[in-house]
Amino acid sequence: MKYPPIPPRRAASCGCGYLAAFVALIVITSLQIQHHHLKVDLGRSDYAAATATQQRRREEGNGAAARWNWNRRTGAEGLPRGIVHTSSDMFLRPLWDPAANRAIPKNKNDRHKALLAMAVGISQMQNVDVMARKFLNESYTVMLFHYDGNVDGWRSLEWSDKAIHIVAPNQTKWWFAKRFLHPSVVAIYDFIFLWDEDLGVENFDPRRYIDIMVSEGLEITQPALDPDLSTDIHHRITIRNKMTKVHRRVYDNRSSMNCSDDSKGPPCTGWVEGMAPVFSRAAWKCVWHLIQNDLIHGWGLDMKLGYCAQGDRAEKVGVIDSEYVVHQGIPSLGGPSDTSKLPRRSLDLRTHIRRQSSAELEKFKERWEKAVREDDEWMDPFDA
């Protein structure tokens, strides 16, 4: 049986093919436009977005998240970690002899590094000479703040070129410290000695002093004052106790003091005077922030230093008796201690300085009280 032949199929309409090609062209064009806009948007993205991508990548490694967060806190997030130097020092670097950089003196007491910083005037050069030698002999660093502008007068001292000299007329050590002893700059030092220029150090050894601070777990200290030779003692807690190595409190039954074992704060315990404080690195990080930029005499700081003691101020703050000094009582910014030898103009100047100091004390108290009122999250750790 024969079947009729199947008729040939007609070719598909050419119109459908053109339509499909047109649609595909539209899709491709749209994708290209979107891709272009995406590149533009990425090009306009700020620096923070780029560093956020770096952060996510670095966090994939062990410990990378912590390192990145640390870099971000220091402001070094834009740098590769290996190039970041987090600390500085006061070692002098010669311009012309690279080999000398390898000759930086090592501390005889390799465990600790210390910095002695003082505001000094040329009239006290002889006494400062004795003080500086004590520290330089232990390979500690000495920084002199010259409030009288006279640096050349110190060139005759053999160690002068080993010290750091900073000049600003008629400024106090607190002014200098706020501007030149930022914690990041002095982070290499384990201990900061911020002393007056009128201290006798015949019975003081800085290395033994630091050893006592470490062994006693002290963060803020001062050397005791020799009661027989010191001419200017204001607080009984600073007087040397010949029977002890360290004391942390004073006992006084006077009604104005009433210091006993129950006393929890200054001036009975947890307190040192501003003439010769010594700070651990951790304590100094706090104290630097406590120093007010515009209150240059530092009055009132001593009563609040205990808040920077890294714990109980009655335990972490102390007066070291076995390494003691003599306070010669020379007025700040130089001049003889006996005011009867001062000319009238100098007496008037001393009066103005004391008035300003008293005014700054009141300002500091007001600021502290205002800060406490306004900071709802802060709790006084010593509030009974």
Side-chain angles (χ1 to χ4, degrees):
M1 182 176 179
K2 294 183 178 180
Y3 294 95
I6 299 175
R9 300 179 63 181
R10 298 177 61 185
S13 173
C14 293
C16 294
Y18 290 136
L19 179 61
F22 181 71
V23 172
L25 180 61
I26 293 176
V27 172
I28 292 173
T29 303
S30 299
L31 290 175
Q32 289 178 336
I33 293 173
Q34 291 179 11
H35 181 65
H36 173 73
H37 284 298
L38 179 60
K39 289 198 298 183
V40 172
D41 290 341
L42 288 175
R44 292 176 178 175
S45 61
D46 59 13
Y47 187 72
T51 54
T53 301
Q54 297 177 19
Q55 178 181 2
R56 287 193 297 271
R57 291 175 179 173
R58 295 185 181 187
E59 287 177 350
E60 294 174 359
N62 293 334
R67 290 195 298 272
W68 173 260
N69 289 334
W70 179 86
N71 268 0
R72 189 165 61 178
R73 289 196 301 270
T74 61
E77 66 272 17
L79 302 174
R81 289 191 298 272
I83 201 65
V84 175
H85 275 205
T86 60
S87 63
S88 182
D89 58 50
M90 300 298 173
F91 297 128
L92 300 176
R93 310 279 176 169
L95 296 175
W96 59 89
D97 187 5
N101 285 330
R102 297 192 295 269
I104 293 174
K106 290 186 177 180
N107 195 329
K108 293 180 181 179
N109 184 4
D110 289 333
R111 294 176 302 166
H112 305 116
K113 296 182 177 66
L115 168 67
L116 169 66
M118 296 184 290
V120 301
I122 194 66
S123 63
Q124 303 303 322
M125 184 176 68
Q126 183 176 356
N127 190 66
V128 173
D129 179 28
V130 177
M131 297 172 68
R133 289 177 186 274
K134 288 269 186 174
F135 286 80
L136 292 170
N137 287 341
E138 297 295 337
S139 296
Y140 297 143
T141 302
V142 173
M143 177 183 287
L144 302 182
F145 304 131
H146 297 274
Y147 57 73
D148 60 358
N150 189 339
V151 178
D152 291 338
W154 298 77
R155 301 300 183 192
S156 60
L157 299 177
E158 62 178 358
W159 52 264
S160 178
D161 289 340
K162 299 177 182 178
I164 307 299
H165 300 268
I166 298 177
V167 182
N170 298 323
Q171 301 303 313
T172 70
K173 70 178 181 181
W174 301 107
W175 184 94
F176 284 105
K178 187 66 173 179
R179 286 149 183 83
F180 299 104
L181 298 184
H182 187 280
S184 295
V185 175
V186 297
I188 189 176
Y189 299 104
D190 301 293
F191 297 95
I192 308 295
F193 291 71
L194 189 57
W195 280 13
D196 288 353
E197 61 182 334
D198 61 342
L199 301 177
V201 293
E202 181 180 353
N203 298 293
F204 178 85
D205 183 284
R207 181 184 58 80
R208 289 200 298 263
Y209 187 94
I210 288 174
D211 287 343
I212 294 172
M213 279 192 69
V214 174
S215 64
E216 293 286 333
L218 295 166
E219 299 285 340
I220 300 175
T221 65
Q222 75 160 81
L225 303 183
D226 186 331
D228 299 323
L229 299 178
S230 297
T231 60
D232 199 9
I233 297 179
H234 300 289
H235 305 277
R236 291 187 62 180
I237 195 173
T238 65
I239 297 176
R240 181 190 179 211
N241 185 339
K242 298 180 181 180
M243 306 301 294
T244 62
K245 181 169 62 175
V246 175
H247 70 269
R248 293 174 169 85
R249 63 174 59 245
V250 67
Y251 298 92
D252 194 332
N253 294 326
R254 292 178 297 174
S255 57
S256 58
M257 295 287 290
N258 193 25
C259 294
S260 65
D261 286 326
D262 296 328
S263 301
K264 303 299 183 183
C268 303
T269 187
W271 186 87
V272 297
E273 197 169 4
M275 75 180 78
V278 183
F279 306 100
S280 69
R281 181 194 296 113
W284 180 249
K285 287 181 179 179
C286 173
V287 171
W288 185 88
H289 289 87
L290 181 63
I291 299 172
Q292 304 294 288
N293 188 64
D294 58 326
L295 306 183
I296 63 173
H297 291 285
W299 281 30
L301 287 175
D302 52 359
M303 299 297 289
K304 304 302 181 184
L305 291 178
Y307 287 91
C308 295
Q310 314 300 300
D312 184 357
R313 61 189 175 187
E315 295 296 328
K316 297 291 186 178
V317 180
V319 177
I320 296 180
D321 297 296
S322 58
E323 301 299 323
Y324 58 99
V325 298
V326 174
H327 187 208
Q328 299 171 359
I330 298 173
S332 179
L333 301 182
S337 57
D338 185 358
T339 56
S340 63
K341 300 178 182 179
L342 288 172
R344 176 74 183 185
R345 182 178 179 278
S346 297
L347 285 172
D348 290 342
L349 179 60
R350 297 301 309 165
T351 299
H352 288 310
I353 291 175
R354 181 162 292 275
R355 286 176 180 172
Q356 180 174 333
S357 300
S358 300
E360 288 188 4
L361 173 61
E362 295 306 315
K363 287 183 180 179
F364 181 80
K365 290 179 179 179
E366 292 172 1
R367 290 182 187 180
W368 179 272
E369 294 170 359
K370 183 175 184 289
V372 171
R373 288 195 308 269
E374 294 180 351
D375 192 342
D376 295 332
E377 297 181 359
W378 185 79
M379 296 181 62
D380 192 335
F382 306 119
D383 190 355

